[in-house]
Amino acid sequence: MDARNSAIQTIRSEAQAVLDLIPKLDEQFDRAVELIYRCHGKVIVTGVGKSGHIGAKIAATLASTGTPAFFINPLDVFHGDLGVMTRDDVVLAISNSGLTDELLRVVPFVLHMQVPIIGMSGNSDSLLAKYSNVHLNVHVEKEACPLNLAPTSSTTAQLVMGDALAIALMEKRNFKPQDFAQFHPGGQLGRLLLTTAADVMRSADLPVIPQEMHLGEAIIHVSKGKLGLGVSLENEKIIGLITDGDIRRAMERWQADFFDHTVSDIMTRQPKTVLPTTKITEIQRIMQRHKIHSVLVADQERHLLGVVDHYSCMI
C-alpha cells in the first residue's frame, strides 16, 4: 500500500470510529454534562500516556470554553498534587482499557474524598467503569494502526468525546463569543471580540464638508480625506454623508449638470453610526448587512467622533 492510500485508510478508520460514538451517547453522557455543569469547583482531568496527552487537550478545551479545568498526571498525585482536589471538584479519568494501573491507584483516594468520577474508557466492564459515578464509552472496533496496537482511533474517539462534552456545556451555559474572548485575549479572535470602535477609529483630519458645497468642490475634499467619504454637520451634529460611490453615480446621472448640484442633493441623511464602545465584530456585521465600507462613530447626541472603515477592522 502506498503512502497516500495508507493515509486515506487511516482517515476512514478514524472517521468511522468517531461516527460509532453517536449510538453510545446515552443517559450517561447527559449525567456527565449535568455533573460538570453543577460542579462548584474544577474539573480535574487525568490519564496516563497517550490518554494523558488527550486529557491535557480536553482540559484546555474545557478551560477555554467556560469550565474551570486542568490536567494532572496520576503519578504526580502521589507527590503532593492531591492537595489541589476538593469535594467541590469532578474528576474526569481517561483510560482506553479502563485497567491502567497508575490511574486505578488514584481512584481509592478520590473515592475517599467523595469526589465524583467521570470515567472515559473503551471498556464498559472495566474497573474504571465500575468505580466511576458516570462512564463514557469510547470503545473502538480497531485502531487505525495496521498492527492494531498504536493508540490512534481510540485516542481520536477520546478527543472527540471530550469536545462533545465541552460543546454541550457551552450550549448549556449559553456561552457567547464575548465570553470566549475573555479566555483568549491574546489571540486574533480575542482582539476582534474585545476591540472597540474607539480603539481603531480615525479621529483626526476628518473630511467634513458643508451640505451647501457644490459637488465639484466636494470631490476634492473627499479625495483629500482618503476615506472615500465626506460628512456634513449642522450644529456639530451629523446630518448627512456622501461617498465616492454617490459622487460617481451623480456624475453618471447629471453629466454636464453635475457641477450645479450640492452635497445636500445626494447625501444620505441617516448614515450608519456606532458608539465608540461598539465592538469591531458588530461593526463588521453592520458593514456586511448594509453593504457599506465605513461607519461613522458618534456619541449619543450624534456628534462626530471618528470614522471606522473596512481596513480599520482588519486587526
Side-chain angles (χ1 to χ4, degrees), residues 124-143:
S124 297
D125 296 321
S126 64
L127 287 175
L128 178 60
K130 177 181 178 180
Y131 289 111
S132 296
N133 300 83
V134 178
H135 180 254
L136 300 175
N137 184 359
V138 288
H139 173 73
V140 299
E141 291 299 324
K142 63 177 181 178
E143 301 285 4

Side-chain angles (χ1 to χ4, degrees), residues 48-117:
V48 178
K50 302 297 188 298
S51 294
H53 294 308
I54 296 299
K57 193 276 178 185
I58 291 174
T61 300
L62 288 169
S64 69
T65 53
T67 299
F70 61 90
F71 176 80
I72 288 182
N73 189 307
L75 300 177
D76 293 332
V77 170
F78 297 102
H79 298 280
D81 283 4
L82 189 64
V84 304
M85 195 177 300
T86 72
R87 290 188 178 183
D88 291 328
D89 298 334
V90 171
V91 168
L92 173 59
I94 308 172
S95 166
N96 183 43
S97 67
L99 301 170
T100 307
D101 181 64
E102 298 92 335
L103 184 64
L104 291 176
R105 281 190 288 162
V106 175
V107 170
F109 297 97
V110 178
L111 293 175
H112 177 72
M113 295 180 64
Q114 298 181 356
V115 175
I117 299 175

